[in-house]
Amino acid sequence: MGVKQFKVFANQLADQAREIALKYFRTSLDVESKSDNTPVSIADKCIEKTLRNAINTLYPDHGILGEEYAQQHSDSEYLWVIDPIDGTKSFITGRPTFGCLIALLHDGKPVIGIIEMPALKERWIGVQHNAAFFNGSIVHASNRNTLS
């Protein structure tokens, strides 16, 4: 299994997360409080459940660590890490500064990371030993050493 194939799949997961988030964004929805008093919405649960189902269908031996549901095969060679709505308070108050975070670890080391910002239509993706991308264009850190 190559990282290239996982990158395609991770982007498909981000596409699904975007679609679900935008379906619920700026709508009237019930919000629950988790045991740590942080909010959770139906969008959080729906996104995570959808992504878990997609991962389990294609990669049933992979582990999943999500924010809303129990860990699954967390000792697997490959582990998907999902935060379905990072910034739930922003999401539920209608601010566009929320995102979905998706990562893939191989033997405990990150190999793919995605920041999907549905309302802003922005996607950042990094793949181990490759360039990072923002909406399909290569990005890189500045080589400047001072703020001035």
Side-chain angles (χ1 to χ4, degrees):
M1 222 47 69
V3 173
K4 190 174 187 177
Q5 182 179 357
F6 290 137
K7 179 183 173 188
V8 170
F9 180 65
N11 271 296
Q12 292 169 349
L13 294 176
D15 290 343
Q16 291 177 358
R18 177 182 283 188
E19 183 180 329
I20 294 166
L22 292 177
K23 173 183 166 186
Y24 289 104
F25 184 55
R26 293 186 176 156
T27 65
S28 176
L29 45 95
D30 292 331
V31 178
E32 302 170 15
S33 288
K34 294 192 276 188
S35 60
D36 63 358
N37 288 326
T38 58
V40 62
S41 73
I42 190 172
D44 292 271
K45 292 178 180 181
C46 187
I47 290 169
E48 185 169 327
K49 193 172 282 191
T50 300
L51 300 190
R52 281 174 174 268
N53 287 339
I55 294 165
N56 285 326
T57 298
L58 204 53
Y59 303 110
D61 58 328
H62 286 197
I64 302 173
L65 175 61
E67 191 166 308
E68 308 309 332
Y69 299 100
Q71 293 183 29
Q72 174 185 327
H73 307 301
S74 58
D75 58 346
S76 296
E77 177 183 4
Y78 288 96
L79 177 68
W80 293 90
V81 181
I82 303 166
D83 185 348
I85 300 275
D86 184 51
T88 301
K89 289 180 184 177
S90 289
F91 178 80
I92 61 178
T93 58
R95 292 183 301 201
T97 52
F98 66 91
C100 177
L101 308 178
I102 302 168
L104 175 63
L105 283 65
H106 179 246
D107 290 330
K109 296 181 181 171
V111 293
I112 297 174
I114 293 182
I115 303 169
E116 167 61 39
M117 304 291 287
L120 299 175
K121 296 180 176 52
E122 296 180 353
R123 182 173 300 167
W124 301 82
I125 183 164
V127 177
Q128 184 182 41
H129 307 301
N130 288 276
F133 290 84
F134 170 68
N135 287 350
S137 298
I138 292 177
V139 293
H140 56 83
S142 171
N143 60 2
R144 294 182 185 191
N145 295 321
T146 61
L147 291 176
S148 60

